Amino acid sequence: MTDLSAFPIATRWPANHPDRIQLYSFPTPNGVKISIALEELGLQYEPHAVDIGKNESWTPEFLSLNPNGKIPAMIDPDGPGGKPIGLFESGAILLYLSDKTGKLVPADATLRYETIQWVFFQMASIGPMFGQVGFFHKFAGRKIADKRPLERYRDESRRLIGVLETRLKGRSWIMGDDYTIADISMLGWVRNLIGFYEARELVGFDDFPSVGAWLERGLARPAVQRGLTIPARA
């Protein structure tokens, strides 16, 4: 039997199937990237709900694997050389899973790096900006009388959607005909922006038909639908 005792996180969220990939996450845009990828790839995994509403990602056990205190984190008991590996940061995990399987990233080296740059675009731009829109539009920030922060993040989010719109014109997916980790990295964020964050009108989302059509295509994928609710909320 696979031994995960070297990972303190496995003491708080024990594995029923230690030979499978262990996913420590919550169904947020960052969290569902990995469950969607795992569902798309057909890899066996065991999800553990780390309830961010209860600050569970700041417990010592979780921090032992992800010192950044953010979901998701993952242990692959069959890592490089057959040895377990623990990983954090969703973009790094997406790259790892694609390298492990040889899927969801083009085989051509040039196209592979082009795919990676769009994953980084999500991590460095779309994720932080959309998250701030959510804070100032839906959550505690909406009570702030000075609306300049909201306007700044609204305008920047609209600009970023415009970048996606330009890229997706005439394309089914970020990389053209190939659905990749670049799409997986962004689907949850765009969905949250216009759904959970209720910012569709705020950012003028309907002005970007190519992005809207891409989102519909992505959400129609069965693996995406499954991944959006994994791990299940209590």
Side-chain angles (χ1 to χ4, degrees):
M1 178 177 288
T2 304
D3 182 9
L4 300 180
S5 62
F7 297 93
I9 195 170
T11 64
R12 186 180 180 97
W13 291 278
N16 292 316
H17 304 282
D19 57 325
R20 301 179 185 178
I21 289 173
Q22 303 294 304
L23 173 64
Y24 308 93
S25 189
F26 203 64
T28 69
N30 279 335
V32 300
K33 294 179 205 172
I34 309 308
S35 54
I36 289 171
L38 289 165
E39 289 289 324
E40 292 279 9
L41 292 167
L43 292 170
Q44 286 197 319
Y45 69 104
E46 181 176 359
H48 303 276
V50 179
D51 193 333
I52 59 175
K54 298 178 181 177
N55 291 322
E56 289 185 343
S57 64
W58 298 106
T59 58
E61 295 87 354
F62 187 84
L63 292 170
S64 70
L65 183 55
N66 184 354
N68 193 32
K70 304 291 184 181
I71 52 117
M74 188 192 81
I75 298 172
D76 183 359
D78 183 27
K83 298 179 180 179
I85 182 174
L87 293 168
F88 70 96
E89 295 297 340
S90 57
I93 296 174
L94 285 177
L95 287 171
Y96 172 80
L97 293 174
S98 67
D99 284 346
K100 179 182 177 74
T101 59
K103 298 177 181 178
L104 295 178
V105 168
D108 177 81
T110 299
L111 295 178
R112 181 177 185 273
Y113 283 112
E114 189 175 338
T115 305
I116 292 171
Q117 80 177 349
W118 285 101
V119 174
F120 286 9
F121 169 74
Q122 181 276 303
M123 294 177 67
S125 300
I126 278 187
M129 289 301 113
F130 288 11
Q132 291 298 329
V133 166
F135 175 76
F136 285 103
H137 182 60
K138 183 180 176 69
F139 297 116
R142 72 182 185 276
K143 299 177 182 178
I144 298 174
D146 186 347
K147 297 306 177 185
R148 285 175 294 181
L150 171 61
E151 292 167 358
R152 182 261 188 273
Y153 290 117
R154 175 203 64 197
D155 293 348
E156 181 63 3
S157 293
R158 183 175 168 83
R159 184 189 73 80
L160 294 173
I161 301 170
V163 172
L164 274 183
E165 178 72 14
T166 299
R167 176 67 178 182
L168 286 165
K169 281 184 179 178
R171 296 172 179 261
S172 294
W173 306 108
I174 298 294
M175 292 302 297
D177 293 332
D178 295 327
Y179 171 82
T180 68
I181 58 173
D183 301 288
I184 292 173
S185 74
M186 294 188 226
L187 282 169
W189 276 110
V190 177
R191 172 179 175 265
N192 248 42
L193 179 71
I194 65 173
F196 184 66
Y197 292 159
E198 301 172 348
R200 186 184 197 107
E201 292 185 11
L202 179 73
V203 300
F205 185 77
D206 292 335
D207 294 338
F208 306 98
S210 297
V211 177
W214 162 83
L215 179 62
E216 288 183 8
R217 280 190 293 274
L219 294 179
R221 297 179 69 90
V224 173
Q225 282 299 307
R226 293 193 300 271
L228 288 172
T229 59
I230 298 172
R233 295 174 184 259

